[in-house]
Amino acid sequence: MPIDETESTTASANVAGSLDTENMATQTGTAPADLPPPGGVLNPRYRWVSIGMCALIMLSAFEALAVTTIMPTVSRELDGAGLYAFAFAGPLAVSVVGMVLAGAWSDRGNPRNALFASVGLFVIGLLIAGTATSMGAFVAGRLVHGFGGGALTVALYVIVARVYPPVLHARIFAGFAAAWVIPSLIGPVIAGLLSDTVGWRWVFLGVVALVVLAMLMVVPAMRGVHAPDATSERPPWDIRRIGWAVLVAVAVLVLNLAADVQGAVQWIAPVLGIAVALFALRPLLPKGTLRAARGLPSVILLRSIVAGTFFASEVYVPYLLVSQHQVSPTLAGLALTAAGLSWSAASWVQGRYPQITHRVTALAGAIGLSIAVASLLATAILDLAPAVVIVGWAFAGAGMGIVYPRLGVLTLEYSTIENQGFNSSALSIADAIGSAIALAVAAIVFSALGPLGGGWPFAGAFALAAVLCVAAFGAGPRILRR
């Protein structure tokens, strides 16, 4: 998917001075209204666009949950333990370039075209990963579909802004979260079963077939998605911005490879990598993001923090269960299923009851993540039962489900038709880079504590997540303007 109660109590009513209802009506063809149209996002006007986009989200969710479930098996079969964390962080790093390109493409023209191109790259990456015979080839495939996945996210956000009136934004983002329900229920279990029977490769190759089917439905639905009005000024391609994105990706990739380096370089490289990444990030994010300025900058920053907390912990959840408790991949996937279900349920609640204030959603998100990380730390140190991990990780999903969609809603509320692509890409960039940097540092800590054995390497990785939970409590109150 990453507060002030004096703001409007509904996610759609607070336009923050940047989205004028009348202008949005012009762009979407809907009349200004405080109430959603009959049928909501399934109104005949939006039905097939909603179903098509949720189908893509569903397949992306299945792939994400499945990879996390089978990675211990892939790492063992391809002898790639040294690239375990990189297989997750690398795609996130290169996705930044895809996000910037998709954002610029969407601001200049039709986000539909950016969506089709990103889906094509996503499929190519899955094919490479599914047929890989070495860990290097597998990671290469992950990098390709990570690039496409980053562009896909931004294109979908811009399509939401172009198609739906503001009153439906919270509901369509809740629909995106609901699209995780079926993958959460069956994705990890199916991935585990495939890995235990016909082989992990079919986790990727099977998704390819499903994406093709989904696109057969999406293409006709996207005919109603258009470029900005002809009278709108279209920004030129910003080559410098693309260059900054490439520099960020390179810095994060180098940072992730530092986990395999020994000696002083193992600690110097991360410091330099993080410094370069943060320096290059500044032109890609709203001004003031890195110092938590109020409003949109803090929305972007909080998205980065919660994403880093969740995803840097999640990749070690099945690993902890499989390596320390000898749990099968199928059973290890239950923890991911629990989190996916609680994420979807919490997202539905925040979308259904918009009177839950932004301040409350930010606080609840930080609390849910804190409970989850505490359960992981306790299990790693005290060797608690696997059930503690499964139940505890469900709190992480609930925390993300309630805060993640609201941050997407606020981003669009702070945006205009001219900068929807920039702000949407900034949100996704912060999401990806926050996760990639957190994954890299967690991998370095995990590697450094490896000689201690037992649960201590896991405890070190989860301790980093605990620090990020504290940062989430600090950034949350600043996501709304004074």
Side-chain angles (χ1 to χ4, degrees):
M1 281 166 107
I3 304 174
D4 191 352
E5 289 181 352
T6 59
E7 288 285 342
S8 169
T9 57
T10 66
S12 58
N14 173 26
V15 189
S18 60
L19 280 181
D20 181 271
T21 305
E22 185 174 346
N23 288 340
M24 179 57 72
T26 301
Q27 295 296 330
T28 62
T30 60
D34 295 329
L35 297 176
V41 296
L42 293 180
N43 179 279
R45 180 181 182 87
Y46 312 113
R47 181 178 299 150
W48 290 109
V49 175
S50 299
I51 294 174
M53 291 196 299
C54 286
L56 289 174
I57 293 291
M58 183 182 298
L59 294 173
S60 178
F62 175 82
E63 188 272 338
L65 291 166
V67 169
T68 306
T69 302
I70 66 172
M71 268 307 296
T73 302
V74 175
S75 175
R76 182 176 62 252
E77 183 175 320
L78 299 182
D79 192 23
L83 293 175
Y84 185 91
F86 187 84
F88 291 98
L92 291 172
V94 298
S95 70
V96 172
V97 182
M99 293 170 188
V100 171
L101 290 173
W105 193 350
S106 297
D107 281 340
R108 296 185 72 257
N110 197 329
R112 177 183 61 193
N113 299 330
L115 176 66
F116 294 160
S118 64
V119 171
L121 288 172
F122 187 80
V123 167
I124 292 172
L126 291 175
L127 289 172
I128 296 174
T131 56
T133 57
S134 67
M135 195 63 176
F138 177 82
V139 170
R142 294 276 291 157
L143 293 177
V144 173
H145 81 68
F147 183 95
L152 171 66
T153 301
V154 172
L156 289 178
Y157 268 71
V158 178
I159 288 171
V160 167
R162 299 275 172 86
V163 172
Y164 300 88
V167 71
L168 289 180
H169 287 172
R171 293 197 178 187
I172 188 60
F173 283 126
F176 285 175
W180 281 70
V181 172
I182 294 178
S184 299
L185 279 171
I186 64 175
V189 175
I190 289 179
L193 290 174
L194 288 174
S195 178
D196 292 338
T197 55
V198 297
W200 56 266
R201 299 179 186 279
W202 286 100
V203 170
F204 299 95
L205 301 179
V207 171
V208 170
L210 294 175
V211 169
V212 172
L213 291 176
M215 287 304 295
L216 293 177
M217 177 176 60
V218 169
V219 171
M222 290 296 161
R223 290 174 181 171
V225 180
H226 303 293
D229 187 88
T231 60
S232 300
E233 182 179 352
R234 301 187 183 184
W237 285 97
D238 191 341
I239 303 302
R240 290 182 301 175
R241 179 172 162 78
I242 297 173
W244 287 119
V246 172
L247 181 58
V248 169
V250 171
V252 174
L253 290 173
V254 171
L255 173 63
N256 278 272
L257 292 174
D260 295 327
V261 181
Q262 300 299 320
V265 177
Q266 185 181 29
W267 301 103
I268 296 174
V271 174
L272 293 177
I274 292 174
V276 172
L278 294 179
F279 176 77
L281 268 177
R282 294 181 63 188
L284 306 179
L285 305 177
K287 184 178 180 180
T289 297
L290 298 182
R291 54 181 176 82
R294 282 191 173 272
L296 180 62
S298 285
V299 171
I300 303 298
L301 179 63
L302 182 60
R303 181 68 167 254
S304 177
I305 292 171
V306 298
T309 305
F310 183 86
F311 294 110
S313 301
E314 185 184 50
V315 299
Y316 289 103
V317 170
Y319 201 177
L320 173 67
L321 293 174
V322 171
S323 65
Q324 297 298 306
H325 297 278
Q326 287 71 54
V327 172
S328 70
T330 302
L331 292 178
L334 289 178
L336 307 185
T337 297
L341 289 175
S342 60
W343 184 322
S344 299
S347 181
W348 179 86
V349 169
Q350 68 79 34
R352 186 70 176 83
Y353 301 99
Q355 60 267 33
I356 301 175
T357 64
H358 300 317
R359 178 186 294 276
V360 171
T361 59
L363 179 62
I367 291 174
L369 287 169
S370 298
I371 293 173
V373 170
S375 71
L376 295 177
L377 262 174
T379 302
I381 295 174
L382 303 177
D383 196 28
L384 301 180
V388 176
V389 174
I390 296 173
V391 174
W393 196 238
F395 280 93
M400 292 294 282
I402 199 166
V403 69
Y404 218 67
R406 284 296 181 93
L407 297 179
V409 170
L410 281 172
T411 297
L412 294 185
E413 288 179 353
Y414 287 138
S415 303
T416 65
I417 188 67
E418 288 80 17
N419 63 16
Q420 287 166 350
F422 175 88
N423 289 343
S424 295
S425 68
L427 185 71
S428 299
I429 287 169
D431 197 332
I433 294 302
S435 300
I437 291 178
L439 276 165
V441 178
I444 292 171
V445 173
F446 188 92
S447 176
L449 296 179
L452 297 180
W456 289 108
F458 294 99
F462 297 143
L464 170 67
V467 173
L468 293 176
C469 287
V470 175
F473 281 105
R478 302 183 62 81
I479 66 174
L480 293 186
R481 296 166 176 166
R482 290 186 182 276

